[in-house]
Amino acid sequence: MKKFNFRKVLDGLTASSPGGSAGGGGAGGGSAHPGGTAGAAGTPREEIQETLTSDYFQICKTVRHGFPYLPTALAFDPVQKILAIGTRTGAIRILGRPGVDCYCQHESGAAVLQLQFLINEGALVSACADDTLHLWNLRQKRPAILHSLKFNRERITYCHLPFQSKWLYVGTERGNTHIVNIESFILSGYVIMWNKAIELSTKTHPGPVVHLSDSPRDEGKLLIGYENGTVVFWDLRSKRADLRAYYDEAIHSVAWHHEGKQFMCSHSDGSLTLWNLKSPNRPFQTTIPHGKIQRDGKKPESCKPILKVEYKTCKNSEPFVIFSGGLSYDKACRRPSLTIMHGKAITVLEMDHPIVDFLTLCETPYPNEFQEPYAVVVLLEKDLIVVDLTQSNFPIFENPYPIDIHESPVTCTEYFADCPPDLIPVLYSVGAKHKKQGYSNKEWPISGGAWNLGAQTYPEIIITGHADGSVKFWDASAITLQMLYKLKTSKVFEKQKSGEGKATAEIVEEDPFAVQMMYWCPESRIFCVAGVSAYVVIYRFSKHEVNTEIASLEVRLQYEVEDIITPEPEIIPQFPDASSQLPSLKSLSGSTNTVACEGMMKDSIPCLSVKTRPVRMPPGYQADLVIQLVWVDGEPPQQITSLAVNSAYGLVAFGNCNGLAVVDFMQKTVLLSMGTLELYGSSDPYQRQPRSPRKSKQFAADNFCMRGLSNFYPDLTKRIRTSYQSLTELSDSPVSLELERCKSPTSVKGSRKLSLPTDLKTDLDHVNGHCTSPTSQSCSSGKRLSSADVSKANRRGPGRPPFRKAQSAACMEISLPVTTEGYISRRAMLQQLHGISSFSHDERHCTAHTWMNKENRENSFSRSRSSSVSSIDRDSKEAITALYFMESFARKNDSAVSPCLWVGTGLGMVLILSLNLPASDDLRQSEPVMVSPSGTVLTLKGAVLTFACLDCTGTLIHPPYEVWRDPHSADDGEKTRKRKLVMHSPSSSQDMGDHQFAVICSEKQAKVFSLPSQTCLYVHNITETSFLLQADVVTLCNSVCLACFCANGHIMTLSLPSLRPLLDINYLPVTDMRIARTFCFSNEGQALYLSSPTEIQRLTYSQEMCDNLQDMLGDLFTPVETPEAQNRGFLKGLFGGSGQAFDREELFGEATAGKASRSLAQHIPGSGGIEGVRGAAGGVIGDLTRARIALDERGQKLGELDERTASMMASAEAFSKHAHEVMLKYKDKKWYQF
């Protein structure tokens, strides 16, 4: 059956309609087909069969890596050997062996106060700050809440669950103790009231319950610790206090000796008290471990509180007393510490961060046996440490989890799925040489759970850039994360000495080496970093150590535009000839770094100093070239907004809001350094006139007012600026508009954001006079200062920070207060996206955004405090927002592909530059590369985000690359030196056809152009009310699609080349800047973002991976037999108390204790495990998973029934046997023989 080609029908329709043709570079594509996909007139071609449909897409979170953010609680199951960490945001992370890492979240978001495992039962109890208890089922890969119990009248302060008990003790702020049945999650009627526990003669309230524990010797006795220093030993059977102990200082924690005859308390004065149950009147031992002993024999001076103490016994050595805190007050600068007392030896372990909690890991789960501690898990605010207690020097274990992601704050991320398989072992081999030494030689003790590789086999690598200049490569294969290699980019620069900031012309006061952008070519192993101090470093990978000097170049990238109303335009050539440009540009690299004297303008000096001496470079990534932007006429270089590298061409391109630079990193020369406007030449649709920075003209305000805004909108410009007309309504009276905009930003309420094209880069402030402060001085009409004069005045302003207002990718728009519906444009965000400080020329004060991980800075959007047009006018330039090297058709009449550089700007303009490379590889090192304009200009709405090229079959064409070879290999033969280039992808290695599809996506829309005709075939307006933060062309299921992440939280995918919507889900609200800055897509349906300053959240938008996710996740619960209790012996059983005869069910059950008050707590049934299925289940797979969970739960109940039946049968057999023995014994005896 012949396929009906609907697009050809559309082509016929649109060819006859006005505006339907996308000729002239496709400028009319957006207006011809608003709001969807459409065809445009062009050469009829056979429709490409697209294989992707909406059935291929589904979004779910896969796994979370990193350290739990803001931890609050810690628990450990000594039989299952899994660890749980609760956080202030209501999250729980459960960790086992490497690969077993589970993230759960309380829906309420309330902080987790305490965690308690049901040891070896596959369940966990969490107590939250909203006074709710939750029971989690861990017998499934995605834990879910089975029951919840909400306390209405009392605040929960402490919980205790005895080993192998189903009754949970809950202490409250009022001092009462309640008992909860774990199986039904219902309160028992048994309550220990605070006024019954303390003596009647006591006149004060004992305070909240801070400790609960049953006696190791007798389970029928409960030790209750109150905050004010009272300890009550409560007999559960007789419902009375056996004994009470009082101490002057507040209690923080209590710990038992395993024999149950002694217990130890830690107090707020830094003291430890040891109590004996036989003499509770006073402690028989009181020590202040870190207190100074007074000469006159008085009590040692008080210390800081000991927040927690653990008392663990050993069979063959002295007991361990381990506590946190308790340091002397006179050492204020000492770091938080953990103290280990073993016999007479006292060891203080200093920590890098405050201690949140710690737990001692012991060989036995039974509290009445010798504990035999072997390790201490210490939970810090930003780290997790495990100390080996079996060695005298207490070394720490090497942590196998990726919890050091936040070692320095993460500033950017890159994600590479399905990368070359040889990269991971190579990176691991060079990274392993830099690992720290001195770890314990024993295996990591948290080894519970089970994990296998699953069906996903392709290698994945995540790269994180950090504020200290470091870059980390991570193996992310099979939803795990393991550190491979760490690169320190700051090593190429000289260290900054204190007080040198001004002299060295830094533009950022903190973190001058922060990584802003990264570009990695996995095939050629070329790695490129753009730093916050306006520099680019190119790295090559080598397995050999070298000692060499670092090559460096300096680039001037500054450009100013005269007002379009100038009567004396100074025309420059359309595009300077590349050959004539080269000598002068080469001389830039040799310019000397002359620091200007006090009071003089800084010029031609970079922000940082590259090391000039030979540097030792270990195996791995070695710096090949450093490119720095320099100060120009007292203006600091602007930060880099786009970056691209191509190893086959040997070129790196980068741009900022001033312009574009192209550097040949093979010959170490600058090929191009031009302002954005110069790139247009005669193709500039705005017809802006360049000017000399030294000249300026003055015009009367009246003249400008009479002109209005319409004169600056020629027909072509009006068409181009359709993107912004939906965002703004230009007033007929520019005077009133500008007067309003000159007011204080605090007075502009509910105002709209205004877009201005670059040709309005006139000093609009001369309408209302020059306004030097947006909040105070009134505007004086009449004569205005020239922009040069103003900039000079501002340069020399007292107290001005060394950083001008940073530009973003869409800095044409004026920044006004953000609307309640979200950010209408990226401009309010991109300063933080690039981690840029914010400074307005019209302000004397600076609002700086640094990379410091402070919550108020990380979780908030920053915007310019100035709403005056003058500051925007002087600073706003057309930023370079996207760059892409490609073999493509540069012009309409091209018959063959050639090397090109695609350039996208913040105004939605797309320029194509032709690259003329030497014909042979032999001439590449000597012949210059020529860069020339093609004259092609395409347009889109909003700032350009990404490019891609498809061949005539719709297959993605990968940019050419050079196959990696070791630059410092010992084998220096001819074959090794010769470069091996791969010019296009293997999938399109046959005839590439006579045309290509160019895919271009901006923050507002996506377009597909046919090349070389430059016909706009398809256009899709992605969003009108919001804007895209990230867009990438990715491969999925051997096909290709466009993946987009919108600022309103939507994740979308579009088919290629037809731009049909395949997925659109409101999934991830952009709650803070971190998500916007770090979100990135990768191939095979993978994506990630930084969910907190310490954690990476990975997600998938592939239905196939969602279906297979259950098999890839680790099992938290594995069947393990509970170890048998030690034989207590006859005498211990006879005199050791009646713990074995204690029946909690009889005491706390409804029959004896009655029902608790309904108003005291409310039972909330949980999702029963189905919640864990929802994210990963769809269709039949979901039904099967639910059925499997139901079967598991049924099997569990049947298993319990089997165990009970077997136990009853065993006890019946034992009874029958004993009865038979008694019968045989007395069968033949007479009555008088008894």
Side-chain angles (χ1 to χ4, degrees), residues 442-634:
K442 296 197 171 182
E443 288 188 5
W444 181 250
I446 305 165
S447 56
W451 177 77
N452 54 16
L453 281 170
Q456 183 183 324
T457 54
Y458 53 82
E460 300 171 72
I461 290 177
I462 292 172
I463 310 177
T464 55
H466 299 264
D468 64 352
S470 61
V471 175
K472 294 180 180 178
F473 292 76
W474 306 84
D475 176 9
S477 308
I479 66 170
T480 61
L481 197 69
Q482 183 182 6
M483 172 90 137
L484 291 173
Y485 173 68
K486 181 177 179 180
L487 171 67
K488 295 181 179 178
T489 64
S490 60
K491 286 193 171 182
V492 302
F493 300 104
E494 298 286 357
K495 288 184 179 178
Q496 301 292 314
K497 296 179 182 177
S498 57
E500 258 192 12
K502 293 180 181 178
T504 54
E506 282 186 29
I507 59 170
V508 282
E509 295 173 350
E510 296 180 272
D511 301 319
F513 307 112
V515 177
Q516 192 172 355
M517 304 183 80
M518 300 179 292
Y519 194 101
W520 189 45
C521 177
E523 291 81 10
S524 64
R525 302 186 189 175
I526 293 279
F527 183 62
C528 192
V529 169
V532 75
S533 297
Y535 63 83
V536 172
V537 186
I538 300 164
Y539 290 89
R540 291 182 182 270
F541 188 85
S542 174
K543 296 180 180 178
H544 304 279
E545 180 178 313
V546 293
N547 201 329
T548 183
E549 290 188 4
I550 301 169
S552 65
L553 288 173
E554 291 173 7
V555 177
R556 292 173 70 93
L557 200 57
Q558 196 82 1
Y559 191 75
E560 295 188 52
V561 188
E562 178 58 284
D563 304 334
I564 211 166
I565 52 180
T566 174
E568 301 175 38
E570 298 177 18
I571 307 298
I572 63 163
Q574 171 186 337
F575 199 90
D577 186 63
S579 58
S580 64
Q581 181 114 349
L582 275 173
S584 61
L585 289 169
K586 284 182 180 178
S587 66
L588 285 174
S589 61
S591 61
T592 56
N593 297 359
T594 55
V595 179
C597 300
E598 194 72 32
M600 290 181 64
M601 224 181 276
K602 293 174 182 174
D603 190 55
S604 301
I605 52 173
C607 303
L608 300 171
S609 301
V610 180
K611 290 179 179 177
T612 54
R613 61 185 182 281
V615 178
R616 186 187 73 84
M617 299 183 187
Y621 274 105
Q622 300 166 349
D624 186 55
L625 176 65
V626 179
I627 308 162
Q628 292 191 90
L629 297 180
V630 296
W631 287 64
V632 178
D633 295 336

Side-chain angles (χ1 to χ4, degrees), residues 647-697:
S647 55
Y649 303 158
L651 303 180
V652 57
F654 57 93
N656 61 11
C657 63
N658 284 330
L660 171 70
V662 181
V663 173
D664 183 343
F665 62 81
M666 294 181 68
Q667 297 186 28
K668 309 289 191 294
T669 56
V670 182
L671 302 179
L672 180 75
S673 173
M674 301 188 79
T676 313
L677 309 183
E678 284 183 298
L679 296 173
Y680 289 102
S682 60
S683 302
D684 183 10
Y686 298 115
Q687 297 301 312
R688 290 160 289 205
Q689 302 296 338
R691 70 155 185 178
S692 165
R694 299 284 177 245
K695 295 184 181 181
S696 63
K697 302 291 179 184

Side-chain angles (χ1 to χ4, degrees), residues 291-338:
K292 289 184 180 179
I293 300 173
Q294 307 291 337
R295 292 182 179 178
D296 52 5
K298 290 182 181 178
K299 180 183 175 182
E301 65 178 19
S302 296
C303 294
K304 295 176 184 177
I306 294 179
L307 302 177
K308 184 175 181 179
V309 64
E310 294 210 339
Y311 189 18
K312 302 297 180 183
T313 54
C314 303
K315 196 169 188 178
N316 300 318
S317 68
E318 295 287 330
F320 281 89
V321 176
I322 304 169
F323 61 87
S324 61
L327 294 178
S328 175
Y329 278 108
D330 64 349
K331 295 180 180 176
C333 295
R334 282 191 67 173
R335 294 189 292 179
S337 65
L338 184 80

Side-chain angles (χ1 to χ4, degrees), residues 859-972:
N859 297 328
S860 63
F861 294 94
S862 76
R863 57 186 183 271
S864 170
R865 285 191 294 175
S866 168
S867 51
S868 76
V869 178
S870 57
S871 63
I872 297 294
D873 170 59
R874 274 193 305 276
D875 288 331
S876 296
K877 300 184 179 70
E878 188 173 3
I880 305 294
T881 57
L883 294 167
Y884 188 64
F885 285 103
M886 193 60 222
E887 295 276 314
S888 184
F889 299 95
R891 299 172 182 84
K892 278 188 178 183
N893 54 0
D894 283 0
S895 58
V897 295
S898 61
C900 297
L901 172 61
W902 290 66
V903 180
T905 77
L907 279 181
M909 312 298 290
V910 177
L911 309 168
I912 305 178
L913 304 183
S914 293
L915 308 173
N916 190 358
L917 299 166
S920 67
D921 189 49
D922 299 333
L923 300 174
R924 180 64 185 84
Q925 293 288 355
S926 55
E927 291 283 327
V929 177
M930 312 294 282
V931 183
S932 59
S934 65
T936 300
V937 179
L938 309 175
T939 61
L940 288 86
K941 293 182 184 178
V944 179
L945 297 182
T946 191
F947 298 103
C949 267
L950 310 180
D951 64 15
C952 56
T953 65
T955 306
L956 181 66
I957 306 173
H958 294 282
Y961 63 88
E962 176 191 0
V963 177
W964 176 78
R965 59 195 176 99
D966 199 324
H968 305 295
S969 174
D971 180 16
D972 201 18

Side-chain angles (χ1 to χ4, degrees), residues 344-416:
K344 294 183 179 179
I346 299 179
T347 306
V348 179
L349 305 177
E350 291 191 340
M351 305 293 170
D352 292 332
H353 309 284
I355 296 173
V356 175
D357 198 359
F358 73 90
L359 286 173
T360 308
L361 309 189
C362 301
E363 297 288 354
T364 176
Y366 295 94
N368 57 357
E369 298 176 357
F370 281 104
Q371 298 298 287
E372 304 295 346
Y374 60 90
V376 180
V377 179
V378 188
L379 178 64
L380 308 177
E381 276 189 3
K382 295 183 180 179
D383 205 354
L384 180 72
I385 290 173
V386 182
V387 181
D388 186 356
L389 292 179
T390 61
Q391 299 182 44
S392 58
N393 60 338
F394 303 128
I396 64 171
F397 290 87
E398 184 175 5
N399 198 320
Y401 309 133
I403 61 169
D404 57 345
I405 291 172
H406 62 286
E407 185 179 14
S408 173
V410 177
T411 54
C412 56
T413 56
E414 292 290 342
Y415 191 3
F416 297 87

Side-chain angles (χ1 to χ4, degrees), residues 1049-1070:
H1050 285 250
I1051 293 177
M1052 296 164 279
T1053 58
L1054 304 173
S1055 69
L1056 289 177
S1058 66
L1059 298 178
R1060 287 181 298 108
L1062 300 173
L1063 174 77
D1064 186 353
I1065 294 180
N1066 187 3
Y1067 191 74
L1068 182 65
V1070 183

